[in-house]
Amino acid sequence: MSYPPNYGQQDPYQQQGYGQPYGYAPQQPSPTKTNGLAVASLVLGLTGFITCGFTSLLAIVFGHVSLGQIKRDRTDGHGMALAGVVLGWILTSLWILYWVLVMAGAIAGVGTTALSTPTSDSSSSAVQGSGKHTVVFEAIGSDGATSALNITGSANYRITQDNGVPLPYRKELKVDELRHFYFWVQNASDKGTVTCRIIIDGKVAREETEDGPYGVCRVTADTP
């Protein structure tokens, strides 16, 4: 005799399944911090272009300190710190070179004045008053040379000197005799060309052109 299947009743031998385990969301890593001194080093290195190199020294110091902190703390900013150090050293070196050249030009100008000082006052009348000859010292800048660091002119051993003047430059003197003339012009920029000339009674007696960083143009007319 067969029995119908027992619907609605659980098979006692059927194993009851277990529920799914509780899921856990993966933990997100915390963002790495950027070293503050590295940012400061980069900013100070960039501003060194407009601060005459004063902030470049701080860029070097902050950059080296931040590189040590980054290595120890595993923070970000290694590239910025390295860029700040490199910019700091480059700009510091350039500004040191600039001031060395400025001082060298100033010393050369003082030496020229000392060597050319007249031994008597007899030549003063050759520059002042209504002399019968006209002497013109002229300097012209081009390609970025807009000013002269030092300009020294000597007419019959009488010195005239100007510092930090814009180009073009022109000075006219009256003399009674034509003996010795000297003209010295130093470019105040790291680029451009300077042309200097001595004009006597309307005619160019001597002319020279000098280019390059802080170039010095010299002309002498002993026998115009």
Side-chain angles (χ1 to χ4, degrees), residues 34 162 219:
T34 300
D162 295 288
V219 283

Side-chain angles (χ1 to χ4, degrees), residues 38 41-42 45-46 59 63 67 77-90:
S41 175
L42 179 59
L46 292 173
L67 287 173
H78 181 273
M80 290 187 289
L82 188 60
V85 171
V86 172
L87 281 173
W89 278 116
I90 291 176

Side-chain angles (χ1 to χ4, degrees), residues 8-133:
Q9 296 184 6
Q10 186 177 4
D11 187 352
Y13 298 100
Q14 183 179 2
Q15 294 183 358
Q16 185 175 2
Y18 295 96
Q20 295 294 331
Y22 293 102
Y24 295 93
Q27 185 176 2
Q28 296 294 331
S30 59
T32 307
K33 295 182 179 179
T34 300
N35 188 279
L37 288 179
V39 178
S41 175
L42 179 59
V43 172
L44 291 170
L46 292 173
T47 55
F49 288 100
I50 58 177
T51 60
C52 299
F54 292 114
T55 58
S56 302
L57 296 174
L58 293 176
I60 296 172
V61 175
F62 287 2
H64 281 295
V65 173
S66 64
L67 287 173
Q69 293 179 350
I70 291 170
K71 185 177 180 181
R72 183 183 68 248
D73 303 335
R74 305 297 182 183
T75 53
D76 284 340
H78 181 273
M80 290 187 289
L82 188 60
V85 171
V86 172
L87 281 173
W89 278 116
I90 291 176
L91 292 176
T92 300
S93 301
L94 289 176
W95 280 109
I96 290 175
L97 177 61
Y98 170 78
W99 287 114
V100 168
L101 291 173
V102 169
M103 293 301 298
I107 293 172
V110 172
T112 302
T113 303
L115 292 175
S116 305
T117 302
T119 56
S120 66
D121 295 334
S122 60
S123 61
S124 61
S125 61
V127 179
Q128 301 173 357
S130 56
K132 60 183 179 180
H133 296 288

